[in-house]
């Protein structure tokens, strides 16, 4: 069930064993039906496994929402070179805390998903790239990996199938940009964590120049369930284009923040007002960032009819991203929040591309000045233009992530900026 | 005629102009072929392309975003716009980003006048920057060797880092920190003093971030005259430009030659130019007549020499320097032959070993530290003496016939060298004790002061042009010697 809070609307699939320490052990996981899906998958051909995942319509949970089965099918059919699977466990998007919980409560669920995916793409090695700050989660996971090795689930002869699949847990050093898949690959290779230009795409030349697939933790955790019950079964939840369940990380001014596993297409207002118990102190809602801090703000009005699936959130004016719902009530100082987000991205920019390196820092400086009451109305035009020049002009999308909150907040909460500029007035209580 | 080439080439349109290029060519190279330059920093033809400066973004019809032209291959039928609202507007934006933290210290920057940031911003940047914020300050750093780093001017193109990694293959430079705090640096106490090709990072730096200590504040770029020449410091024959002002060489820069040196040259050759500026030159033709030194110009001196040559006996021995041109050495060979033949020797310094440039294997600082050893050998001249370029003249010093010396300033010889000769003719740029017994001391120009050719170690004959005016009455040695050939022997 959800942890620490749960709700009747939830469909606990990935999160079913959250809060249950026994599920962390191999024996406990097996007692809960674990590794049956892996056994089933190993008996299938890689192509059939991919087909099953394609049928499920499972979309990447890391943010982009690209269909997982189709991504796997980009890998070469014949293994002429080593194939690698990377599990992206470098969860660092502000507002996101689902992968950490998946790893620390259900490490074997992730191992099982990794092994099924590795079998599907004929990978001989899985690298699980854990965020550097995930101390407890990484320890729990490493223990589970050891157990699985000892039990012959990982290694030379995976569950007696004759396949060799090794798994390495790699701990990052805490850079946000290493969560970008090509930055992750560079970091894994011991280089600076700088995103690579595509093409070549990872399926052609990824880690160590070999065909590679990078999948998010939550994506891989969904795979065993799909294999065990079938792709069609998975489609009973969610919408036609966004099937299945999704873990929503709700933070901010709600009464019961936390992870909630809900079917995709769930109404945003119901999530806030029902599942999460409403806004703190019965305040009015001001804004929601629905997909982690790199997506545009939704105003209160835009939230009303927003459905939480990949298409629904775009329709409402933002993106689902990794479904990290940051709720802000009427006392929120939007300029302050935007400045903090921009500072985060400026600090985490790798510095390769000029628009990001110079632009993000410039944006921060302007925002700080506005917040200090020394801004001008021209600054808002400048912010809009430089963030436009930071969108779509760089190797990765970190630069776009600075632009999205700045642009959407100026468009939707211009009054708050103007109040600071004209009268030095700040919205909300201290 | 174009039918059978279609498989090898693609035709695309750049700003409305059709251009046909070889398959595999990048859009940037195709644009170059049209004759326009698309601004770029991180791209350098001799290095890998990280596509990170984001200046060379172009609009390609059908592509959802602007594409970095340096890494995007040209394809058949592609329609590329470099001047569209989208592409040019974005370029203007990127240029503005570069100026947010740039100190704009052009008046005191050595790069001013040959700076790509200056050029691009003047050409298409915004008239006024909009940044009102305080600038980030990095300050300066000594990178070792001849290289000084001005962090605030840096555009983070990483050409220098990639040169050290990919070409010299001694990764002495790196990027430290990230984002707007990222900066180029050396590792702890190590620096470019360990490099042998480090000066190239100054050449490829598109702005004034990496500058030469030797050239620091010596001249403004626009005051320098560039003369194509060939490096005289070893037998590789790197193509260079001599940069001169006020008849002095101020610096040497490599000149591109795909077959010989690419874009590069070594630090040894680059720094070896002060001798060209020496003022203690032999300036006037001088001969000894009845124990008196006579300086009455070339006509008188050459007439006197012709007369003396007519009476000379005992055979001829010649000493030359392999730093002189094929033309000079050829004239000498002809001259000696016209006198009935004789031995022509040269001495040259030789290093212990070669110093190859790993990322450009055809280039090395060669063992022979003179430019024309191959030319001298092809003319039948013999190398004598040791590896330090001394000794080996025992048979010449006491020769009682004719001694002719060209270019070798006999620095290791004493005043008795040639004192037994019936005639001792010295043609040189500088004189020394060893030449004090010369009957004729004739001033000749160095290769920096004349037109000529050197033959490099592979046998490639390469031309150089005069960059300096020769001092006094100095003339090319070939002119002087040729006028003697055919004189009554």
């Amino acid at each position: 069930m959800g942890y620490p809070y749960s709700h009747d609307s939830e469909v606990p699939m990935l999160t079913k064993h959250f809060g249950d320490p026994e599920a962390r052990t191999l024996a406990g996981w097996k007692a809960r039906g674990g590794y049956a899906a892996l056994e089933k998958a190993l008996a299938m051909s890689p192509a059939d496994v991919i087909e099953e995942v394609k049928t499920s319509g499972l979309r990447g949970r890391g943010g982009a929402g690209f269909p997982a089965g189709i991504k796997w099918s980009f890998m070469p059919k014949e293994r002429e070179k080593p194939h690698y699977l990377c599990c992206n466990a470098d969860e660092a998007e502000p507002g996101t805390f689902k992968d950490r919980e998946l790893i620390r409560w259900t490490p074997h669920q992730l191992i099982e998903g990794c092994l099924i995916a590795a079998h599907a793409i004929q990978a001989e090695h899985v690298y699980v790239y854990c965020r550097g700050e995930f101390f407890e989660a990484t320890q729990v996971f490493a223990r589970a990996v050891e157990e699985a090795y000892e039990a012959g689930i990982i290694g030379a002869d995976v569950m007696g199938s004759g396949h060799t699949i090794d798994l390495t847990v790699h701990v990052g050093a805490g850079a946000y940009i290493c969560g970008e898949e090509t930055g992750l690959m560079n970091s894994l290779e011991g280089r600076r964590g700088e995103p690579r230009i595509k093409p070549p795409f990872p399926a052609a030349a990824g880690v160590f120049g070999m065909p590679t697939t990078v999948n998010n933790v939550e994506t891989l955790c969904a795979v065993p369930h799909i294999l065990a019950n079938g792709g069609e079964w998975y489609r009973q939840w969610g919408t036609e284009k966004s099937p299945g369940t999704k873990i929503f990380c709700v933070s901010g001014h709600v009464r019961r923040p936390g992870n909630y596993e809900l079917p995709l297409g769930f109404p945003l207002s119901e999530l806030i007002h029902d599942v999460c118990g409403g806004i703190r102190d019965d305040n009015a809602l001001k804004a929601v960032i629905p997909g982690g801090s790199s997506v545009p703000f939704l105003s209160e009005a835009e939230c009303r009819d927003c459905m939480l699936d990949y298409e629904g959130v775009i329709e409402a004016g933002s993106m689902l991203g990794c479904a990290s719902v940051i709720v802000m009530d009427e006392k929120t100082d939007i300029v302050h929040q935007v400045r903090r987000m921009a500072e985060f991205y400026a600090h985490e920019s790798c510095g390769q591309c000029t628009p990001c390196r110079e632009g993000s820092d410039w944006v921060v400086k302007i925002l700080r000045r506005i917040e200090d009451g020394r801004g001008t109305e021209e600054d808002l035009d400048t912010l809009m233009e430089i963030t436009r020049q930071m969108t779509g002009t760089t190797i990765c999308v970190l630069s776009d992530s600075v632009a999205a909150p700045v642009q959407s907040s100026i468009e939707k909460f211009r009054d708050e900026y103007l109040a600071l500029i004209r009268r030095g007035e700040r919205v909300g209580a201290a | 005629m174009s039918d059978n080439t279609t498989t090898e080439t693609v035709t695309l349109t750049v700003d409305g102009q059709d251009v046909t290029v070889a398959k595999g060519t990048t859009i940037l190279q195709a644009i170059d072929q049209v004759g326009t330059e698309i601004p770029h920093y991180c791209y350098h033809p001799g290095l890998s392309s990280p596509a990170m400066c984001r200046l060379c973004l172009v609009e390609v019809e059908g592509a959802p975003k602007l594409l970095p032209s340096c890494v995007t291959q040209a394809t058949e039928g592609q329609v590329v716009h470099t001047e569209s609202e989208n592409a040019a507007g974005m370029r203007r934006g990127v240029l503005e980003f570069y100026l947010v933290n740039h100190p704009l210290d052009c008046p005191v920057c050595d790069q001013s006048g040959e700076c790509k940031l200056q050029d691009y911003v003047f050409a298409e940047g915004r008239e006024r920057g909009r940044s009102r914020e305080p600038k980030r300050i990095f300050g300066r750093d000594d990178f070792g060797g001849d290289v000084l780093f001005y962090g605030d001017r840096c555009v983070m193109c990483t050409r220098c880092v990639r040169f050290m990694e990919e070409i010299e293959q001694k990764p002495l430079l790196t990027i430290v920190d990230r984002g707007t705090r990222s900066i180029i640096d050396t590792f702890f106490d190590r620096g470019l003093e360990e490099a042998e090709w480090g000066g190239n990072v100054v050449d490829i730096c598109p702005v004034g971030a990496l500058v030469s200590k030797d050239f620091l504040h010596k001249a403004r770029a626009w005051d320098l005259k560039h003369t194509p020449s060939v490096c005289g410091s070893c037998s590789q024959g790197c193509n260079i430009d001599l940069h001169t002002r006020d008849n002095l060489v101020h610096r040497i820069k490599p000149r591109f030659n795909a077959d010989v040196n690419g874009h590069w040259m070594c630090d040894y050759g680059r720094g070896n130019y002060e001798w060209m500026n020496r003022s203690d030159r032999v300036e006037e033709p001088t001969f000894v007549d009845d124990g008196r030194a006579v300086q009455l110009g070339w006509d008188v001196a050459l007439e006197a020499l012709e007369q003396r040559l007519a009476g000379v006996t005992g055979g001829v021995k010649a000493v030359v320097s392999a730093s002189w041109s094929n033309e000079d050495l050829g004239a000498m060979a002809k001259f000696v032959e016209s006198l009935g033949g004789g031995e022509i020797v040269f001495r040259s310094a030789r290093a212990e070993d070669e110093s190859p440039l790993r990322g450009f294997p055809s280039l090395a600082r060669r063992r022979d530290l003179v430019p024309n050893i191959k030319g001298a050998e092809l003319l039948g001249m013999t190398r004598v003496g040791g590896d330090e370029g001394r000794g080996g003249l025992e048979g010449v010093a006491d020769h009682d016939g004719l001694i002719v010396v060209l270019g070798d300033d006999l620095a290791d010889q004493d005043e008795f060298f040639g004192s037994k000769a019936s005639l001792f003719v010295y043609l040189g740029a500088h004189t020394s004790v060893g030449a004090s017994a010369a009957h004729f001391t004739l001033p000749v120009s160095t290769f920096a002061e004349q037109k000529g050719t050197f033959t490099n170690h592979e046998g490639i004959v390469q031309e150089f042009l005069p960059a300096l005016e020769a001092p006094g009455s100095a003339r090319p040695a070939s002119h002087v010697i040729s006028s003697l050939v055919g004189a009554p022997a």
Side-chain angles (χ1 to χ4, degrees), chain B residues 334-363:
Chain B
K334 230 176 208 173
F335 173 62
V336 170
E337 202 185 313
S338 74
L339 297 170
E343 193 187 16
I344 307 176
V345 298
F346 65 91
R347 312 183 296 167
S348 66
R350 184 171 274 181
E352 259 178 44
D353 42 31
E354 281 189 357
S355 174
L357 182 57
R358 282 191 224 156
F360 194 87
S362 64
L363 173 57

Short mmCIF file of all heavy atoms in Angstrom, two decimals, chain B residues 334-363:
data_model
loop_
_atom_site.label_atom_id
_atom_site.label_comp_id
_atom_site.label_asym_id
_atom_site.label_seq_id
_atom_site.Cartn_x
_atom_site.Cartn_y
_atom_site.Cartn_z
N LYS B 334 77.66 24.92 -57.72
CA LYS B 334 78.06 25.27 -59.08
C LYS B 334 79.40 25.99 -59.09
O LYS B 334 80.26 25.77 -59.94
CB LYS B 334 77.00 26.20 -59.69
CG LYS B 334 76.53 25.75 -61.06
CD LYS B 334 75.44 26.64 -61.53
CE LYS B 334 74.53 25.88 -62.49
NZ LYS B 334 73.37 26.66 -62.84
N PHE B 335 79.54 26.89 -58.13
CA PHE B 335 80.75 27.69 -58.03
C PHE B 335 81.97 26.79 -57.79
O PHE B 335 83.00 26.92 -58.46
CB PHE B 335 80.57 28.70 -56.88
CG PHE B 335 81.79 29.48 -56.55
CD1 PHE B 335 82.38 30.34 -57.50
CD2 PHE B 335 82.37 29.40 -55.29
CE1 PHE B 335 83.51 31.07 -57.18
CE2 PHE B 335 83.50 30.13 -54.97
CZ PHE B 335 84.08 30.97 -55.91
N VAL B 336 81.82 25.87 -56.84
CA VAL B 336 82.94 24.96 -56.52
C VAL B 336 83.28 24.12 -57.74
O VAL B 336 84.44 23.90 -58.07
CB VAL B 336 82.59 24.09 -55.30
CG1 VAL B 336 83.61 22.98 -55.10
CG2 VAL B 336 82.49 24.95 -54.04
N GLU B 337 82.25 23.69 -58.43
CA GLU B 337 82.47 22.88 -59.63
C GLU B 337 83.21 23.69 -60.69
O GLU B 337 84.11 23.18 -61.36
CB GLU B 337 81.10 22.43 -60.16
CG GLU B 337 81.17 21.21 -61.05
CD GLU B 337 79.80 20.88 -61.65
OE1 GLU B 337 78.82 20.89 -60.86
OE2 GLU B 337 79.74 20.67 -62.86
N SER B 338 82.86 24.98 -60.79
CA SER B 338 83.50 25.82 -61.81
C SER B 338 84.98 26.02 -61.51
O SER B 338 85.75 26.38 -62.38
CB SER B 338 82.79 27.18 -61.87
OG SER B 338 83.13 27.96 -60.75
N LEU B 339 85.35 25.79 -60.26
CA LEU B 339 86.76 25.92 -59.89
C LEU B 339 87.48 24.58 -59.96
O LEU B 339 88.55 24.40 -59.41
CB LEU B 339 86.89 26.48 -58.48
CG LEU B 339 86.33 27.89 -58.28
CD1 LEU B 339 86.29 28.25 -56.81
CD2 LEU B 339 87.16 28.90 -59.05
N GLY B 340 86.84 23.60 -60.58
CA GLY B 340 87.47 22.30 -60.73
C GLY B 340 87.02 21.30 -59.68
O GLY B 340 87.55 20.21 -59.57
N GLY B 341 86.07 21.68 -58.86
CA GLY B 341 85.50 20.75 -57.89
C GLY B 341 86.25 20.73 -56.58
O GLY B 341 87.41 21.16 -56.50
N GLY B 342 85.57 20.27 -55.55
CA GLY B 342 86.18 20.19 -54.23
C GLY B 342 85.13 19.78 -53.23
O GLY B 342 83.94 19.75 -53.54
N GLU B 343 85.59 19.50 -52.04
CA GLU B 343 84.68 19.01 -51.04
C GLU B 343 83.86 20.14 -50.44
O GLU B 343 84.38 21.21 -50.15
CB GLU B 343 85.47 18.30 -49.94
CG GLU B 343 84.60 17.48 -49.02
CD GLU B 343 85.37 16.93 -47.82
OE1 GLU B 343 86.48 17.43 -47.54
OE2 GLU B 343 84.84 16.01 -47.19
N ILE B 344 82.50 19.89 -50.30
CA ILE B 344 81.67 20.86 -49.61
C ILE B 344 81.08 20.16 -48.38
O ILE B 344 80.44 19.12 -48.50
CB ILE B 344 80.51 21.36 -50.49
CG1 ILE B 344 81.06 21.89 -51.82
CG2 ILE B 344 79.71 22.44 -49.77
CD1 ILE B 344 80.00 22.33 -52.80
N VAL B 345 81.36 20.70 -47.21
CA VAL B 345 80.86 20.07 -45.99
C VAL B 345 79.93 21.02 -45.26
O VAL B 345 79.91 22.23 -45.51
CB VAL B 345 82.03 19.68 -45.04
CG1 VAL B 345 82.93 18.67 -45.71
CG2 VAL B 345 82.80 20.90 -44.59
N PHE B 346 79.10 20.44 -44.39
CA PHE B 346 78.29 21.28 -43.51
C PHE B 346 78.21 20.61 -42.16
O PHE B 346 78.46 19.41 -42.02
CB PHE B 346 76.89 21.50 -44.10
CG PHE B 346 76.07 20.25 -44.21
CD1 PHE B 346 75.23 19.87 -43.15
CD2 PHE B 346 76.12 19.44 -45.35
CE1 PHE B 346 74.47 18.71 -43.25
CE2 PHE B 346 75.36 18.28 -45.44
CZ PHE B 346 74.53 17.91 -44.40
N ARG B 347 77.91 21.41 -41.18
CA ARG B 347 77.77 20.89 -39.82
C ARG B 347 76.36 21.25 -39.34
O ARG B 347 75.82 22.27 -39.72
CB ARG B 347 78.80 21.54 -38.91
CG ARG B 347 80.18 21.49 -39.54
CD ARG B 347 81.24 22.05 -38.66
NE ARG B 347 81.10 23.45 -38.36
CZ ARG B 347 81.78 24.08 -37.40
NH1 ARG B 347 82.61 23.38 -36.66
NH2 ARG B 347 81.63 25.36 -37.18
N SER B 348 75.77 20.37 -38.56
CA SER B 348 74.43 20.71 -38.09
C SER B 348 74.17 20.04 -36.77
O SER B 348 74.65 18.94 -36.51
CB SER B 348 73.37 20.30 -39.11
OG SER B 348 73.33 18.89 -39.22
N ALA B 349 73.39 20.72 -35.93
CA ALA B 349 73.03 20.16 -34.64
C ALA B 349 72.02 19.05 -34.84
O ALA B 349 71.17 19.13 -35.73
CB ALA B 349 72.45 21.24 -33.74
N ARG B 350 72.13 18.04 -34.01
CA ARG B 350 71.23 16.90 -34.12
C ARG B 350 70.77 16.52 -32.72
O ARG B 350 71.59 16.30 -31.84
CB ARG B 350 71.97 15.74 -34.80
CG ARG B 350 71.10 14.54 -35.06
CD ARG B 350 71.86 13.55 -35.92
NE ARG B 350 71.73 13.86 -37.33
CZ ARG B 350 72.28 13.13 -38.31
NH1 ARG B 350 73.02 12.10 -38.01
NH2 ARG B 350 72.10 13.46 -39.56
N ALA B 351 69.47 16.48 -32.53
CA ALA B 351 68.94 16.15 -31.20
C ALA B 351 69.05 14.66 -30.95
O ALA B 351 69.22 13.87 -31.89
CB ALA B 351 67.48 16.57 -31.12
N GLU B 352 68.94 14.28 -29.70
CA GLU B 352 69.08 12.87 -29.35
C GLU B 352 68.00 12.01 -30.01
O GLU B 352 68.25 10.92 -30.48
CB GLU B 352 69.00 12.69 -27.84
CG GLU B 352 70.37 12.52 -27.22
CD GLU B 352 70.31 12.39 -25.72
OE1 GLU B 352 69.46 11.66 -25.22
OE2 GLU B 352 71.13 13.06 -25.06
N ASP B 353 66.77 12.54 -29.98
CA ASP B 353 65.71 11.77 -30.64
C ASP B 353 64.63 12.69 -31.19
O ASP B 353 64.65 13.90 -30.96
CB ASP B 353 65.09 10.74 -29.68
CG ASP B 353 64.87 11.31 -28.30
OD1 ASP B 353 64.63 12.54 -28.22
OD2 ASP B 353 64.93 10.57 -27.33
N GLU B 354 63.72 12.09 -31.91
CA GLU B 354 62.61 12.83 -32.47
C GLU B 354 61.56 13.06 -31.41
O GLU B 354 61.46 12.31 -30.45
CB GLU B 354 61.96 12.02 -33.59
CG GLU B 354 62.70 12.08 -34.87
CD GLU B 354 61.90 11.46 -36.00
OE1 GLU B 354 60.79 10.94 -35.75
OE2 GLU B 354 62.41 11.50 -37.11
N SER B 355 60.74 14.10 -31.63
CA SER B 355 59.65 14.34 -30.70
C SER B 355 58.37 14.39 -31.52
O SER B 355 57.98 15.42 -32.05
CB SER B 355 59.91 15.66 -29.99
OG SER B 355 58.82 15.97 -29.20
N PRO B 356 57.72 13.22 -31.66
CA PRO B 356 56.56 13.17 -32.55
C PRO B 356 55.29 13.77 -31.92
O PRO B 356 55.17 13.80 -30.70
CB PRO B 356 56.36 11.67 -32.77
CG PRO B 356 56.95 11.02 -31.58
CD PRO B 356 58.01 11.93 -31.03
N LEU B 357 54.40 14.24 -32.76
CA LEU B 357 53.08 14.70 -32.32
C LEU B 357 52.14 13.53 -32.51
O LEU B 357 51.76 13.19 -33.63
CB LEU B 357 52.63 15.91 -33.14
CG LEU B 357 51.28 16.53 -32.74
CD1 LEU B 357 51.28 16.94 -31.29
CD2 LEU B 357 50.96 17.72 -33.62
N ARG B 358 51.76 12.90 -31.41
CA ARG B 358 51.08 11.60 -31.50
C ARG B 358 49.78 11.63 -32.30
O ARG B 358 49.49 10.70 -33.04
CB ARG B 358 50.81 11.06 -30.11
CG ARG B 358 52.05 10.47 -29.49
CD ARG B 358 51.68 9.71 -28.23
NE ARG B 358 52.65 10.05 -27.19
CZ ARG B 358 52.40 9.95 -25.91
NH1 ARG B 358 51.20 9.56 -25.50
NH2 ARG B 358 53.31 10.24 -25.03
N GLY B 359 49.03 12.70 -32.13
CA GLY B 359 47.73 12.75 -32.81
C GLY B 359 47.83 13.18 -34.26
O GLY B 359 46.82 13.29 -34.95
N PHE B 360 49.04 13.47 -34.74
CA PHE B 360 49.24 13.88 -36.14
C PHE B 360 50.58 13.29 -36.55
O PHE B 360 51.60 13.95 -36.61
CB PHE B 360 49.25 15.41 -36.24
CG PHE B 360 49.11 15.91 -37.65
CD1 PHE B 360 47.85 16.10 -38.21
CD2 PHE B 360 50.23 16.20 -38.43
CE1 PHE B 360 47.71 16.55 -39.51
CE2 PHE B 360 50.10 16.65 -39.73
CZ PHE B 360 48.85 16.84 -40.27
N PRO B 361 50.56 11.97 -36.82
CA PRO B 361 51.81 11.20 -36.87
C PRO B 361 52.82 11.65 -37.92
O PRO B 361 54.00 11.35 -37.78
CB PRO B 361 51.33 9.78 -37.17
CG PRO B 361 49.87 9.77 -36.84
CD PRO B 361 49.38 11.15 -37.04
N SER B 362 52.39 12.36 -38.95
CA SER B 362 53.39 12.76 -39.96
C SER B 362 54.22 13.94 -39.47
O SER B 362 55.15 14.37 -40.14
CB SER B 362 52.71 13.09 -41.28
OG SER B 362 51.88 14.20 -41.12
N LEU B 363 53.86 14.46 -38.30
CA LEU B 363 54.57 15.64 -37.80
C LEU B 363 55.40 15.27 -36.57
O LEU B 363 54.93 14.59 -35.66
CB LEU B 363 53.56 16.73 -37.45
CG LEU B 363 54.06 17.99 -36.74
CD1 LEU B 363 55.15 18.68 -37.54
CD2 LEU B 363 52.91 18.95 -36.50
#
